[in-house]
Short mmCIF file of all heavy atoms in Angstrom, two decimals:
data_model
loop_
_atom_site.label_atom_id
_atom_site.label_comp_id
_atom_site.label_asym_id
_atom_site.label_seq_id
_atom_site.Cartn_x
_atom_site.Cartn_y
_atom_site.Cartn_z
N PRO A 1 -59.97 -82.97 -73.54
CA PRO A 1 -58.76 -83.67 -73.06
C PRO A 1 -58.41 -83.35 -71.62
O PRO A 1 -58.60 -82.23 -71.13
CB PRO A 1 -57.68 -83.18 -74.03
CG PRO A 1 -58.43 -82.97 -75.32
CD PRO A 1 -59.75 -82.40 -74.89
N LEU A 2 -57.88 -84.36 -70.93
CA LEU A 2 -57.62 -84.27 -69.50
C LEU A 2 -56.46 -83.33 -69.19
O LEU A 2 -55.50 -83.22 -69.94
CB LEU A 2 -57.29 -85.66 -68.94
CG LEU A 2 -58.39 -86.73 -69.00
CD1 LEU A 2 -57.93 -87.96 -68.23
CD2 LEU A 2 -59.70 -86.21 -68.45
N PRO A 3 -56.52 -82.68 -68.01
CA PRO A 3 -55.39 -81.87 -67.54
C PRO A 3 -54.47 -82.70 -66.63
O PRO A 3 -54.90 -83.19 -65.58
CB PRO A 3 -56.08 -80.76 -66.76
CG PRO A 3 -57.33 -81.40 -66.20
CD PRO A 3 -57.73 -82.48 -67.19
N TRP A 4 -53.24 -82.86 -67.04
CA TRP A 4 -52.30 -83.67 -66.26
C TRP A 4 -51.38 -82.80 -65.39
O TRP A 4 -51.11 -83.13 -64.25
CB TRP A 4 -51.47 -84.54 -67.20
CG TRP A 4 -52.28 -85.58 -67.90
CD1 TRP A 4 -52.87 -85.49 -69.13
CD2 TRP A 4 -52.64 -86.87 -67.40
NE1 TRP A 4 -53.56 -86.64 -69.43
CE2 TRP A 4 -53.43 -87.51 -68.39
CE3 TRP A 4 -52.36 -87.56 -66.22
CZ2 TRP A 4 -53.94 -88.80 -68.21
CZ3 TRP A 4 -52.87 -88.84 -66.05
CH2 TRP A 4 -53.65 -89.44 -67.03
N THR A 5 -50.87 -81.73 -65.98
CA THR A 5 -49.96 -80.83 -65.26
C THR A 5 -50.35 -79.40 -65.59
O THR A 5 -51.32 -79.15 -66.33
CB THR A 5 -48.50 -81.07 -65.69
OG1 THR A 5 -48.34 -80.63 -67.06
CG2 THR A 5 -48.11 -82.54 -65.58
N ASP A 6 -49.60 -78.43 -65.07
CA ASP A 6 -49.87 -77.02 -65.40
C ASP A 6 -49.07 -76.55 -66.61
O ASP A 6 -48.97 -75.35 -66.87
CB ASP A 6 -49.60 -76.13 -64.19
CG ASP A 6 -48.15 -76.21 -63.71
OD1 ASP A 6 -47.35 -76.95 -64.33
OD2 ASP A 6 -47.82 -75.54 -62.71
N GLU A 7 -48.49 -77.49 -67.35
CA GLU A 7 -47.64 -77.12 -68.49
C GLU A 7 -48.48 -76.70 -69.70
O GLU A 7 -49.51 -77.28 -70.00
CB GLU A 7 -46.75 -78.30 -68.88
CG GLU A 7 -45.79 -78.74 -67.79
CD GLU A 7 -45.04 -80.01 -68.15
OE1 GLU A 7 -45.19 -80.47 -69.30
OE2 GLU A 7 -44.33 -80.55 -67.30
N ASP A 8 -48.00 -75.67 -70.40
CA ASP A 8 -48.61 -75.26 -71.67
C ASP A 8 -48.19 -76.22 -72.76
O ASP A 8 -47.14 -76.88 -72.65
CB ASP A 8 -48.18 -73.83 -72.01
CG ASP A 8 -48.78 -72.81 -71.05
OD1 ASP A 8 -49.87 -73.10 -70.53
OD2 ASP A 8 -48.18 -71.75 -70.84
N PRO A 9 -48.90 -76.31 -73.88
CA PRO A 9 -50.13 -75.57 -74.19
C PRO A 9 -51.40 -76.35 -73.87
O PRO A 9 -52.48 -75.92 -74.24
CB PRO A 9 -50.00 -75.39 -75.70
CG PRO A 9 -49.35 -76.67 -76.16
CD PRO A 9 -48.40 -77.06 -75.06
N SER A 10 -51.30 -77.50 -73.19
CA SER A 10 -52.49 -78.35 -73.05
C SER A 10 -52.57 -79.02 -71.69
O SER A 10 -53.10 -80.12 -71.58
CB SER A 10 -52.50 -79.41 -74.15
OG SER A 10 -51.36 -80.26 -74.04
N TYR A 11 -52.03 -78.36 -70.66
CA TYR A 11 -52.06 -78.93 -69.31
C TYR A 11 -51.48 -80.34 -69.28
O TYR A 11 -52.02 -81.24 -68.64
CB TYR A 11 -53.49 -78.92 -68.75
CG TYR A 11 -54.03 -77.53 -68.54
CD1 TYR A 11 -55.01 -77.02 -69.38
CD2 TYR A 11 -53.56 -76.72 -67.50
CE1 TYR A 11 -55.51 -75.74 -69.19
CE2 TYR A 11 -54.05 -75.44 -67.31
CZ TYR A 11 -55.02 -74.96 -68.15
OH TYR A 11 -55.50 -73.68 -67.97
N GLY A 12 -50.37 -80.53 -70.01
CA GLY A 12 -49.69 -81.81 -69.98
C GLY A 12 -50.32 -82.89 -70.82
O GLY A 12 -49.82 -84.03 -70.85
N PHE A 13 -51.41 -82.57 -71.53
CA PHE A 13 -52.04 -83.57 -72.41
C PHE A 13 -51.11 -83.93 -73.55
O PHE A 13 -51.04 -85.10 -73.97
CB PHE A 13 -53.36 -83.00 -72.94
CG PHE A 13 -54.00 -83.82 -74.03
CD1 PHE A 13 -54.57 -85.05 -73.76
CD2 PHE A 13 -54.04 -83.34 -75.34
CE1 PHE A 13 -55.17 -85.80 -74.77
CE2 PHE A 13 -54.64 -84.08 -76.35
CZ PHE A 13 -55.20 -85.31 -76.06
N GLY A 14 -50.37 -82.97 -74.09
CA GLY A 14 -49.44 -83.20 -75.19
C GLY A 14 -48.71 -81.92 -75.53
O GLY A 14 -48.84 -80.90 -74.83
N ASP A 15 -47.96 -81.95 -76.62
CA ASP A 15 -47.12 -80.81 -77.00
C ASP A 15 -47.79 -79.87 -77.97
O ASP A 15 -47.13 -78.98 -78.53
CB ASP A 15 -45.80 -81.30 -77.60
CG ASP A 15 -44.95 -82.05 -76.58
OD1 ASP A 15 -45.09 -81.75 -75.37
OD2 ASP A 15 -44.17 -82.92 -76.97
N ALA A 16 -49.07 -80.03 -78.20
CA ALA A 16 -49.80 -79.16 -79.11
C ALA A 16 -51.16 -78.82 -78.51
O ALA A 16 -51.61 -79.47 -77.55
CB ALA A 16 -49.98 -79.83 -80.48
N ALA A 17 -51.81 -77.82 -79.06
CA ALA A 17 -53.15 -77.48 -78.61
C ALA A 17 -54.06 -78.69 -78.82
O ALA A 17 -54.01 -79.34 -79.87
CB ALA A 17 -53.67 -76.27 -79.37
N PRO A 18 -54.91 -79.01 -77.88
CA PRO A 18 -55.74 -80.21 -77.98
C PRO A 18 -56.89 -80.02 -78.97
O PRO A 18 -57.26 -78.90 -79.32
CB PRO A 18 -56.28 -80.39 -76.57
CG PRO A 18 -56.30 -79.01 -76.01
CD PRO A 18 -55.12 -78.30 -76.60
N HIS A 19 -57.46 -81.14 -79.40
CA HIS A 19 -58.49 -81.10 -80.44
C HIS A 19 -59.79 -80.47 -79.96
O HIS A 19 -60.59 -80.00 -80.77
CB HIS A 19 -58.76 -82.51 -80.98
CG HIS A 19 -59.37 -83.45 -79.98
ND1 HIS A 19 -60.71 -83.71 -79.93
CD2 HIS A 19 -58.81 -84.19 -79.00
CE1 HIS A 19 -60.96 -84.58 -78.96
NE2 HIS A 19 -59.82 -84.89 -78.37
N LEU A 20 -60.02 -80.43 -78.65
CA LEU A 20 -61.11 -79.66 -78.06
C LEU A 20 -60.48 -78.71 -77.04
O LEU A 20 -59.56 -79.11 -76.30
CB LEU A 20 -62.13 -80.57 -77.37
CG LEU A 20 -63.12 -81.31 -78.27
CD1 LEU A 20 -63.88 -82.37 -77.46
CD2 LEU A 20 -64.10 -80.35 -78.93
N PRO A 21 -60.94 -77.46 -76.97
CA PRO A 21 -60.27 -76.48 -76.11
C PRO A 21 -60.50 -76.75 -74.63
O PRO A 21 -61.60 -77.09 -74.20
CB PRO A 21 -60.93 -75.15 -76.53
CG PRO A 21 -62.28 -75.54 -77.05
CD PRO A 21 -62.08 -76.88 -77.72
N GLN A 22 -59.43 -76.58 -73.85
CA GLN A 22 -59.50 -76.74 -72.41
C GLN A 22 -59.72 -75.37 -71.76
O GLN A 22 -59.11 -74.38 -72.17
CB GLN A 22 -58.21 -77.36 -71.88
CG GLN A 22 -57.90 -78.75 -72.43
CD GLN A 22 -56.44 -79.13 -72.24
OE1 GLN A 22 -55.56 -78.38 -72.65
NE2 GLN A 22 -56.19 -80.28 -71.64
N PRO A 23 -60.56 -75.29 -70.74
CA PRO A 23 -60.81 -74.00 -70.08
C PRO A 23 -59.70 -73.63 -69.11
O PRO A 23 -58.94 -74.49 -68.64
CB PRO A 23 -62.13 -74.26 -69.34
CG PRO A 23 -62.07 -75.72 -69.00
CD PRO A 23 -61.38 -76.37 -70.18
N ASP A 24 -59.62 -72.37 -68.76
CA ASP A 24 -58.60 -71.91 -67.83
C ASP A 24 -58.74 -72.57 -66.46
O ASP A 24 -57.74 -72.79 -65.77
CB ASP A 24 -58.66 -70.39 -67.67
CG ASP A 24 -58.26 -69.65 -68.95
OD1 ASP A 24 -57.60 -70.27 -69.80
OD2 ASP A 24 -58.62 -68.46 -69.08
N TRP A 25 -59.97 -72.87 -66.05
CA TRP A 25 -60.16 -73.43 -64.71
C TRP A 25 -59.61 -74.84 -64.57
O TRP A 25 -59.50 -75.36 -63.45
CB TRP A 25 -61.63 -73.37 -64.30
CG TRP A 25 -62.65 -73.97 -65.22
CD1 TRP A 25 -63.39 -73.32 -66.16
CD2 TRP A 25 -63.06 -75.35 -65.27
NE1 TRP A 25 -64.23 -74.19 -66.80
CE2 TRP A 25 -64.07 -75.43 -66.28
CE3 TRP A 25 -62.70 -76.50 -64.57
CZ2 TRP A 25 -64.70 -76.64 -66.60
CZ3 TRP A 25 -63.32 -77.69 -64.89
CH2 TRP A 25 -64.31 -77.76 -65.89
N PHE A 26 -59.21 -75.46 -65.68
CA PHE A 26 -58.55 -76.77 -65.60
C PHE A 26 -57.27 -76.71 -64.77
O PHE A 26 -56.83 -77.73 -64.25
CB PHE A 26 -58.22 -77.28 -67.00
CG PHE A 26 -59.22 -78.26 -67.56
CD1 PHE A 26 -60.53 -78.27 -67.11
CD2 PHE A 26 -58.85 -79.17 -68.54
CE1 PHE A 26 -61.46 -79.17 -67.63
CE2 PHE A 26 -59.77 -80.08 -69.06
CZ PHE A 26 -61.07 -80.07 -68.60
N ALA A 27 -56.67 -75.52 -64.65
CA ALA A 27 -55.42 -75.40 -63.90
C ALA A 27 -55.58 -75.86 -62.45
O ALA A 27 -54.60 -76.31 -61.82
CB ALA A 27 -54.93 -73.96 -63.94
N ASP A 28 -56.79 -75.78 -61.91
CA ASP A 28 -57.03 -76.19 -60.53
C ASP A 28 -57.38 -77.67 -60.41
O ASP A 28 -57.59 -78.16 -59.28
CB ASP A 28 -58.17 -75.36 -59.94
CG ASP A 28 -57.84 -73.88 -59.87
OD1 ASP A 28 -56.67 -73.56 -59.63
OD2 ASP A 28 -58.75 -73.06 -60.07
N TYR A 29 -57.44 -78.38 -61.53
CA TYR A 29 -57.91 -79.76 -61.51
C TYR A 29 -56.91 -80.72 -62.15
O TYR A 29 -57.29 -81.79 -62.60
CB TYR A 29 -59.25 -79.87 -62.23
CG TYR A 29 -60.39 -79.17 -61.52
CD1 TYR A 29 -60.62 -77.82 -61.70
CD2 TYR A 29 -61.22 -79.86 -60.65
CE1 TYR A 29 -61.65 -77.17 -61.03
CE2 TYR A 29 -62.25 -79.23 -59.97
CZ TYR A 29 -62.45 -77.87 -60.17
OH TYR A 29 -63.48 -77.23 -59.51
N THR A 30 -55.65 -80.38 -62.19
CA THR A 30 -54.67 -81.25 -62.83
C THR A 30 -54.33 -82.44 -61.93
O THR A 30 -54.45 -82.37 -60.70
CB THR A 30 -53.38 -80.49 -63.15
OG1 THR A 30 -52.74 -80.12 -61.92
CG2 THR A 30 -53.66 -79.24 -63.98
N VAL A 31 -53.90 -83.51 -62.56
CA VAL A 31 -53.45 -84.68 -61.81
C VAL A 31 -52.30 -84.30 -60.88
O VAL A 31 -52.26 -84.72 -59.71
CB VAL A 31 -53.04 -85.80 -62.77
CG1 VAL A 31 -52.36 -86.95 -62.00
CG2 VAL A 31 -54.25 -86.32 -63.54
N ALA A 32 -51.37 -83.49 -61.37
CA ALA A 32 -50.21 -83.11 -60.56
C ALA A 32 -50.63 -82.36 -59.31
O ALA A 32 -50.14 -82.63 -58.20
CB ALA A 32 -49.25 -82.26 -61.40
N ALA A 33 -51.54 -81.40 -59.47
CA ALA A 33 -51.98 -80.61 -58.31
C ALA A 33 -52.76 -81.46 -57.32
O ALA A 33 -52.57 -81.35 -56.10
CB ALA A 33 -52.82 -79.42 -58.79
N GLU A 34 -53.64 -82.30 -57.82
CA GLU A 34 -54.49 -83.08 -56.92
C GLU A 34 -53.73 -84.22 -56.25
O GLU A 34 -54.13 -84.69 -55.18
CB GLU A 34 -55.70 -83.60 -57.68
CG GLU A 34 -56.65 -82.50 -58.14
CD GLU A 34 -58.04 -83.00 -58.48
OE1 GLU A 34 -58.41 -84.10 -58.00
OE2 GLU A 34 -58.75 -82.30 -59.22
N SER A 35 -52.66 -84.69 -56.88
CA SER A 35 -51.90 -85.80 -56.30
C SER A 35 -51.25 -85.42 -54.98
O SER A 35 -51.00 -86.29 -54.13
CB SER A 35 -50.83 -86.28 -57.28
OG SER A 35 -51.42 -86.91 -58.39
N THR A 36 -50.96 -84.14 -54.79
CA THR A 36 -50.29 -83.69 -53.56
C THR A 36 -51.27 -83.07 -52.56
O THR A 36 -50.85 -82.59 -51.51
CB THR A 36 -49.20 -82.68 -53.89
OG1 THR A 36 -49.78 -81.57 -54.60
CG2 THR A 36 -48.12 -83.32 -54.77
N ASP A 37 -52.55 -83.09 -52.88
CA ASP A 37 -53.56 -82.50 -52.01
C ASP A 37 -54.39 -83.62 -51.38
O ASP A 37 -55.17 -84.28 -52.07
CB ASP A 37 -54.47 -81.58 -52.82
CG ASP A 37 -55.57 -80.94 -51.99
OD1 ASP A 37 -55.63 -81.21 -50.78
OD2 ASP A 37 -56.37 -80.17 -52.56
N PRO A 38 -54.25 -83.86 -50.09
CA PRO A 38 -54.97 -84.98 -49.46
C PRO A 38 -56.49 -84.79 -49.46
O PRO A 38 -57.22 -85.77 -49.27
CB PRO A 38 -54.43 -84.99 -48.04
CG PRO A 38 -53.90 -83.61 -47.81
CD PRO A 38 -53.40 -83.14 -49.14
N ASP A 39 -56.96 -83.59 -49.69
CA ASP A 39 -58.40 -83.32 -49.70
C ASP A 39 -58.99 -83.28 -51.11
O ASP A 39 -60.17 -82.98 -51.26
CB ASP A 39 -58.70 -82.00 -48.99
CG ASP A 39 -58.30 -82.01 -47.52
OD1 ASP A 39 -58.48 -83.06 -46.89
OD2 ASP A 39 -57.80 -80.98 -47.04
N SER A 40 -58.18 -83.58 -52.12
CA SER A 40 -58.64 -83.48 -53.50
C SER A 40 -59.57 -84.63 -53.87
O SER A 40 -59.62 -85.66 -53.19
CB SER A 40 -57.45 -83.46 -54.46
OG SER A 40 -56.82 -84.74 -54.49
N SER A 41 -60.26 -84.44 -54.97
CA SER A 41 -61.11 -85.51 -55.50
C SER A 41 -60.27 -86.73 -55.86
O SER A 41 -60.67 -87.86 -55.58
CB SER A 41 -61.87 -85.00 -56.73
OG SER A 41 -62.68 -86.01 -57.28
N LEU A 42 -59.11 -86.53 -56.46
CA LEU A 42 -58.26 -87.65 -56.84
C LEU A 42 -57.82 -88.44 -55.62
O LEU A 42 -57.83 -89.68 -55.63
CB LEU A 42 -57.04 -87.14 -57.61
CG LEU A 42 -56.03 -88.19 -58.06
CD1 LEU A 42 -56.67 -89.25 -58.94
CD2 LEU A 42 -54.85 -87.52 -58.79
#
């Protein structure tokens, strides 16, 4: 599942743990973080 924000427990995917585990490094790849970074992939 995709990382949308830095919110627990699923990086903004939803209010519960996702059906497949997300890695810790997802915190650097959220939509929220990349939206404000002009050099990001997004």
Side-chain angles (χ1 to χ4, degrees):
L2 296 188
W4 294 93
T5 68
D6 60 1
E7 298 173 6
D8 291 332
S10 62
Y11 295 108
F13 170 71
D15 294 333
H19 66 98
L20 283 169
Q22 299 162 306
D24 293 340
W25 53 264
F26 262 25
D28 297 325
Y29 293 85
T30 67
V31 171
E34 293 199 21
S35 291
T36 58
D37 179 0
D39 297 322
S40 70
S41 179
L42 179 58

